Amino acid sequence: MKKLLFCIMMFFNLLTYGQQIKEQLKSYKIDQLEKLQKVEPRKVLIYVYASWCSYCKAMDQVVWRDTSIIRLLNRSVYFVKFDVEQQDVVFFNGAKYDFKASKGVHDFVLEITRSKHQIAYPMLVLWSEDYKPLIEYHSFLSAKELKEILLAYL
């Protein structure tokens, strides 16, 4: 009887474990975009965040874990997560960008934003396949709001 009960419990544990495995949001680095676009052109969504930003943390916990957002992004765009204070040098589109401690922001972020003097986080920038800016948001967006916006452009 104990063996049967043990087998039944193990069976249900395996079933629930399989259900816990979810699709993961694929994230790319800026440096990868040019190669990716040659293989399969897609729009690019850049999510600029700061580690100290509470709204960014909320997006990480809620929006980027939403299964409908994950599916939409994984199938439709190249999603790039970019830390505004990252120290890495970035090469993109023939240019070199790096972090400037005096500015407190990575040069790449200044390059991609339209509002050079009023950057707020989180920042979302959607580019066309040829890196033309389509939209830019400097605020928290719920999964529902983001999905509506993206569907209008995808």
Side-chain angles (χ1 to χ4, degrees):
M1 187 65 164
K2 288 182 183 181
K3 286 183 182 180
L4 179 61
L5 184 59
F6 176 76
C7 288
I8 291 171
M9 287 175 45
M10 289 303 292
F11 177 73
F12 283 111
N13 280 341
L14 288 173
L15 282 178
T16 57
Y17 176 75
Q19 292 172 349
Q20 291 171 356
I21 298 172
K22 294 182 180 180
E23 189 174 358
Q24 298 291 315
L25 180 57
K26 295 175 191 165
S27 180
Y28 301 92
K29 294 186 179 276
I30 292 296
D31 306 48
Q32 297 175 290
L33 289 179
E34 292 175 273
K35 286 182 183 177
L36 291 167
Q37 292 290 24
K38 288 178 184 174
V39 175
E40 182 183 351
R42 292 184 181 184
K43 291 180 175 54
V44 177
L45 180 64
I46 303 172
Y47 165 58
V48 180
Y49 69 96
S51 59
W52 45 262
C53 168
S54 60
Y55 292 107
C56 301
K57 290 176 184 176
M59 284 197 76
D60 287 341
Q61 293 299 313
V62 179
V63 178
W64 306 131
R65 291 185 182 185
D66 182 282
T67 54
S68 65
I69 292 293
I70 291 170
R71 277 191 217 112
L72 179 63
L73 294 179
N74 284 349
R75 288 165 179 75
S76 305
V77 303
Y78 293 119
F79 177 71
V80 176
K81 228 179 140 173
F82 195 88
D83 183 350
V84 70
E85 295 174 332
Q86 80 174 22
Q87 304 293 315
D88 299 341
V89 174
V90 172
F91 294 94
F92 178 71
N93 221 9
K96 176 184 170 185
Y97 304 96
D98 56 5
F99 179 74
K100 298 287 192 252
S102 61
K103 296 178 187 176
V105 67
H106 201 283
D107 280 342
F108 181 73
V109 175
L110 294 174
E111 179 67 26
I112 66 170
T113 184
R114 294 178 192 155
S115 55
K116 308 262 187 237
H117 304 292
Q118 293 182 322
I119 300 173
Y121 308 108
M123 181 173 93
L124 293 164
V125 178
L126 181 66
W127 284 344
S128 65
E129 294 84 347
D130 57 349
Y131 312 125
K132 302 276 189 281
L134 299 173
I135 59 169
E136 182 176 320
Y137 284 89
H138 292 260
S139 64
F140 174 88
L141 293 172
S142 69
K144 182 181 177 188
E145 292 169 324
L146 179 60
K147 191 173 184 178
E148 289 173 4
I149 291 165
L150 290 174
L151 288 175
Y153 286 90
L154 299 179

